[in-house]
Amino acid sequence: MASSDRFADRPGSALVFPGMGPVPFAEVAKFMLVNPFARKLFAEADEVLGYSLFERFKEAEGDYSEAAQVAFLVNCLALALWVEHEFEEQPAFCTGLSFGEKAAAVHSGALSFADGVRFTARFAHTLDAYFAEEHPEEVATQSFARTPRARLDEVRAELAEQGEWNDVTCVVDEDFAMLTLRKSRLEWLQERLRALGGMPLYVMEPPLHSPAFGGLRRRVEEEVLAGLSFRDPHLPVVADQDGAVLTTGEEVRNLLLDGCVRPVDWPGVLGSLSDKGVGTLYVAGQDALFGRVGAATRNFKVVPVNPRLAMRPRRRTATAA
């Protein structure tokens, strides 16, 4: 069967907003300046923030500054609009992984663009303050591949015997996950994973998605969501925590809050989308992870929609020529 026909029994499509990774300014600067959807949204973001997001992002230090986070949100939303225009596609669902929840909330219509920008900027400050004040011992998240769940359970049992707290905070594939624990135990974890045939990848901090961060959830509800309005989405949102289909504003609001304390389950999301007849995933944003793992590529047609793709000559023009 030709690759284009592999998922003919599932003709539906979904927009996927990926989790945020490091995005150098130079990689997206041209897209932000030239793409018409990006230009429009950046101008609107400037009005909300009271400063030039482009210039602030250009000057920002660190991968997860306020400006970097808001710029990632805006770029993802611009790419989603580009998908709908360029491919003449109207996806039946959207989902957001980790940081991508914010973009899903906005694109679905549950949260206005302006409130999405406010939420993202406020969240960046609250996240830093929470971990500085309530977790001075420092915690971080280690991602790793080639580690089946049985091997991971061995590692977690050893940590438990040592009296070390740890949580699985993201499942990416059957042998790809993320574990959150005290930063001082990262080196031990990396060595143990390698000994079992695993491949430690990158370390993320500050972490998210653990039941241990209930204090962060409370702060976000009290400080970050204050004054923001939610409405029922016009596009159903598939929750990254369990694959549930969300159709009310209150459900999307809780999704953003629960993102602080509930792990991401990407295989669960994919299973839910497959059950709903989705065979094509448009991954709107720079993604080095979710759209690339076998759980996605084996079971869906994955279209990575990043700034580089959006800057190529237009498909319809090229086809006509």
Side-chain angles (χ1 to χ4, degrees):
M1 180 181 292
S3 60
S4 60
D5 297 329
R6 287 172 59 200
F7 313 113
D9 60 329
R10 290 184 279 127
S13 64
L15 272 169
V16 176
F17 295 102
M20 182 181 176
V23 179
F25 172 81
E27 289 187 10
V28 293
K30 186 176 181 180
F31 171 77
M32 294 186 291
L33 287 173
V34 174
N35 180 270
F37 299 108
R39 287 204 314 269
K40 179 177 183 295
L41 292 181
F42 269 82
E44 293 178 14
D46 290 351
E47 293 184 10
V48 175
L49 296 167
Y51 60 76
S52 168
L53 178 57
F54 182 91
E55 293 299 328
R56 187 71 62 89
F57 181 28
K58 180 180 179 180
E59 299 167 359
E61 297 182 1
D63 295 326
Y64 299 100
S65 65
E66 173 191 316
Q69 292 191 40
V70 178
F72 187 83
L73 170 80
V74 175
N75 282 332
C76 286
L77 292 170
L79 288 165
L81 294 173
W82 183 83
V83 165
E84 295 175 344
H85 177 266
E86 186 70 6
F87 291 88
E88 297 182 342
E89 185 76 22
Q90 291 296 322
F93 301 91
C94 70
T95 187
L97 291 311
S98 189
F99 182 96
E101 291 175 353
K102 301 176 180 67
V106 174
H107 188 77
S108 70
L111 194 63
S112 71
F113 176 78
D115 277 353
V117 169
R118 294 184 184 99
F119 177 85
T120 303
R122 293 176 187 175
F123 188 91
H125 292 288
T126 297
L127 186 66
D128 288 342
Y130 169 77
F131 280 100
E133 296 165 13
E134 298 198 29
H135 291 274
E137 74 279 9
E138 296 190 305
V139 289
T141 297
Q142 175 72 59
S143 67
F144 45 89
R146 301 179 185 174
T147 308
R149 189 57 188 246
R151 295 287 176 85
L152 175 56
D153 289 344
E154 290 181 36
V155 173
R156 297 195 67 202
E158 293 176 26
L159 285 168
E161 290 175 1
Q162 300 167 20
E164 291 288 342
W165 161 81
N166 66 93
D167 273 333
V168 175
T169 48
C170 182
V171 177
V172 185
D173 207 339
E174 59 186 13
D175 63 350
F176 196 145
M178 301 183 190
L179 192 70
T180 299
L181 72 171
R182 289 196 304 135
K183 196 174 178 181
S184 61
R185 302 301 293 159
L186 283 175
E187 185 175 351
W188 177 91
L189 174 62
Q190 293 162 358
E191 292 176 357
R192 192 71 187 97
L193 289 169
R194 291 190 187 98
L196 292 172
M199 178 187 292
L201 298 171
Y202 48 88
V203 174
M204 296 175 293
E205 51 182 317
L208 275 175
H209 316 309
S210 166
F213 305 149
L216 176 61
R217 188 189 190 281
R218 289 189 293 273
R219 283 198 187 193
V220 170
E221 185 162 29
E222 296 169 0
E223 303 170 7
V224 180
L225 290 181
L228 305 188
S229 299
F230 287 80
R231 51 187 177 271
D232 293 347
H234 57 73
L235 181 65
V237 177
V238 178
D240 63 335
Q241 299 139 14
D242 57 11
V245 178
L246 312 180
T247 58
T248 71
E250 185 66 17
E251 289 174 334
V252 176
R253 182 179 186 275
N254 287 331
L255 172 73
L256 296 176
L257 289 171
D258 288 345
C260 299
V261 295
R262 295 184 63 188
V264 173
D265 180 6
W266 183 220
V269 173
L270 293 172
S272 178
L273 290 171
S274 179
D275 290 344
K276 303 296 186 296
V278 171
T280 301
L281 305 178
Y282 293 96
V283 184
Q286 288 184 285
D287 173 48
L289 179 60
F290 293 101
R292 298 187 178 190
V293 296
T297 58
R298 287 192 304 268
N299 300 298
F300 296 84
K301 176 185 177 182
V302 179
V303 182
V305 184
N306 51 47
R308 181 178 298 178
L309 175 66
M311 293 302 294
R312 291 176 184 172
R314 294 183 57 174
R315 291 176 66 253
R316 291 195 296 277
T317 301
T319 300

